[in-house]
Amino acid sequence: MNRRLLIWLPFAVFVGLAGLVLYGLYRPDNTVVRSALVGKPLPEFRLAPIAPGKPGLAAADMKGGVRLLNVFGSWCIPCIAEAPQLMALKNRGVEIDAIAIRDTGPAVQRFLTENGDPYARVGDDPRSQVQLSLGSSGVPETFVIDAEGRIAHQHVGPINANEVDDILKAIEDAK
């Protein structure tokens, strides 16, 4: 191989890698996560209560009306940012239940006192077993559950103020 070409080879590799990185940075994001469980029944589960004065949560509790199931942690910063939107949904008549992931009762109580309490029930998932069975990969994550106990919609990440109407539409669509 010609020596001049060998001298330019590292530069060409660098330019190629830089181009690949720039492409990855500037291509449009695909923020839609397609869950394999949408349209399917909730997996069976029964979680003990974690918040004082609130019942635990079971899959059977999620039948009979459209409601939200929020997966959260008191230690989760995006969950704090999401709290006002969950309160706004509750104030608009949305029933919301929750699963607390790898948490403690006092920490959950403090979280609810400081950030508002939109939840009817809060179940304790100390090893994230139910979270994983739902196909949830992190917190916060919110599921719209229809009256038959099927997952109608999955929202990954915190619900932002501009997404409240989208969640209300998903709830309406699940009726």
Side-chain angles (χ1 to χ4, degrees), residues 84-97:
Q85 284 67 249
L86 291 174
M87 289 303 296
L89 287 163
K90 178 186 177 185
N91 292 337
R92 291 179 75 175
V94 176
E95 294 187 57
I96 307 171
D97 294 314

Side-chain angles (χ1 to χ4, degrees), residues 116-175:
D117 183 359
Y119 306 124
R121 298 175 188 89
V122 182
D124 180 17
D125 192 7
R127 292 188 245 342
S128 300
Q129 291 175 317
V130 174
Q131 177 192 21
L132 294 174
S133 73
L134 290 169
S136 170
S137 60
V139 291
E141 209 159 311
T142 305
F143 299 85
V144 175
I145 310 300
D146 72 13
E148 282 77 45
R150 289 186 309 253
I151 298 171
H153 177 79
Q154 181 178 3
H155 180 86
V156 177
I159 298 170
N160 298 314
N162 62 343
E163 296 172 320
V164 169
D165 287 338
D166 296 339
I167 297 297
L168 289 169
K169 182 179 180 328
I171 290 168
E172 194 59 39
D173 291 346
K175 289 183 178 179

Side-chain angles (χ1 to χ4, degrees), residues 8-20:
W8 288 99
L9 185 62
F11 179 71
V13 170
F14 172 76
V15 168
L17 288 174
L20 187 62

